[in-house]
Amino acid sequence: MREPCRIVKDTLAFVGEKIHAGMTTKELDVLIERFIRSEGARPSCLGYGGFPASACISINDVVVHGIPDERIIREGDIVSVDVVADKNGYHGDACRTFCIGDVKPEVKKLVQVTEECFFKAIEGLRAGRPLFDIGYRVQKHAESFGYGVIRSYTGHGIGKEMHEDPSVPNYGKLGTGVRLKAGTALCIEPMIALGDWHVRILNDGWTAVTVDRKPAAHYENTVIVREDGVEILTL
């Protein structure tokens, strides 16, 4: 799995160089597909459940699963880019939220804290620890800033399939859930809202937006649980 995860990491670094105000999300998606295929991999999202693009590109109040189209990325936007690559029958998955130009301080803080939530989640995580410790640590950190923790979507296992058991919620009770085994591959992905955590799905059947239309940020890595900690494959 290190190879598809490396490709995802490199793809997101490439996105960081190319994303700018004035481009459309479709133009960005085309660049992402070309980059993934140039590495001998396949964009896992393309065609998954009928999804029509190579990446999920979500702007501002779109939490996840934004479909790339003619929408223009503008100065002050935050843009979450979720990329999954399939190579040699295994998947890698990660997401970053990019700040475009001069972003409002309170929104920039949200993006920063969402990333921090991931690193809080893996503190002390190793084989034998309960699954829901992950969500507990995300929730505790996010809610200490008054943010909403998205419930409708979770992290997940990953491997030969893009989504595998177990689900990895971003909330939970410390000391509960299945005990994680060494070698387990997980996608840990805090999705945090500036306001309320409730979401609704738009008519396209994919795009999830915050009900109060306040911004949301998303940060994700693929990790392997080890006896002595976690190995992050997409950093």
Side-chain angles (χ1 to χ4, degrees):
M1 286 183 64
R2 289 191 181 88
E3 183 63 7
C5 285
R6 178 198 61 78
I7 292 166
V8 166
K9 176 196 71 170
D10 290 349
T11 303
L12 288 169
F14 170 76
V15 169
E17 295 170 359
K18 296 296 183 181
I19 193 169
H20 63 268
M23 75 188 312
T24 68
T25 53
K26 180 63 179 175
E27 287 169 340
L28 183 58
D29 186 66
V30 168
L31 293 176
I32 289 169
E33 180 176 2
R34 285 177 185 164
F35 188 93
I36 291 172
R37 293 193 187 280
S38 75
E39 293 283 341
R42 180 185 69 85
S44 308
C45 293
L46 186 60
Y48 180 82
F51 192 79
S54 295
C56 298
I57 302 178
S58 307
I59 299 178
N60 296 334
D61 62 323
V62 180
V63 180
V64 285
H65 303 159
I67 298 174
D69 57 16
E70 298 309 312
R71 181 172 179 178
I72 295 172
I73 297 169
R74 301 192 184 280
E75 179 86 9
D77 283 344
I78 59 169
V79 185
S80 298
V81 180
D82 195 347
V83 173
V84 192
D86 171 12
K87 188 166 186 182
N88 302 323
Y90 287 87
H91 299 266
D93 185 0
C95 181
R96 302 286 181 265
T97 299
F98 297 93
C99 293
I100 308 302
D102 189 17
V103 173
K104 291 179 181 177
E106 64 267 27
V107 179
K108 192 176 286 186
K109 181 70 173 178
L110 170 70
V111 174
Q112 175 192 326
V113 170
T114 301
E115 180 175 338
E116 289 171 1
C117 283
F118 168 83
F119 291 98
K120 291 290 184 182
I122 63 172
E123 283 181 5
L125 187 62
R126 62 184 185 277
R129 297 301 304 165
L131 174 66
F132 296 148
D133 282 12
I134 295 170
Y136 168 82
R137 296 185 192 286
V138 171
Q139 183 179 16
K140 182 180 179 183
H141 190 62
E143 291 183 350
S144 73
F145 292 88
Y147 298 150
V149 178
I150 303 301
R151 264 71 161 179
S152 308
Y153 298 92
T154 69
H156 51 91
I158 188 171
K160 291 183 177 179
E161 301 293 333
M162 177 165 39
H163 293 121
E164 298 183 357
D165 290 332
S167 293
V168 186
N170 289 307
Y171 59 94
K173 185 179 178 182
L174 193 65
T176 63
V178 299
R179 301 278 169 169
L180 294 168
K181 295 179 179 178
T184 301
L186 298 175
C187 290
I188 298 174
E189 49 180 315
M191 291 161 269
I192 309 298
L194 190 62
D196 191 273
W197 58 265
H198 289 90
V199 304
R200 66 182 181 90
I201 310 299
L202 300 187
N203 291 336
D204 61 25
W206 284 101
T207 308
V209 301
T210 56
V211 169
D212 61 11
R213 305 313 295 258
K214 290 185 178 179
H218 184 188
Y219 184 89
E220 174 186 17
N221 284 303
T222 300
V223 308
I224 305 292
V225 179
R226 299 290 188 200
E227 293 286 357
D228 58 350
V230 295
E231 179 182 356
I232 306 171
L233 299 186
T234 46
L235 277 181

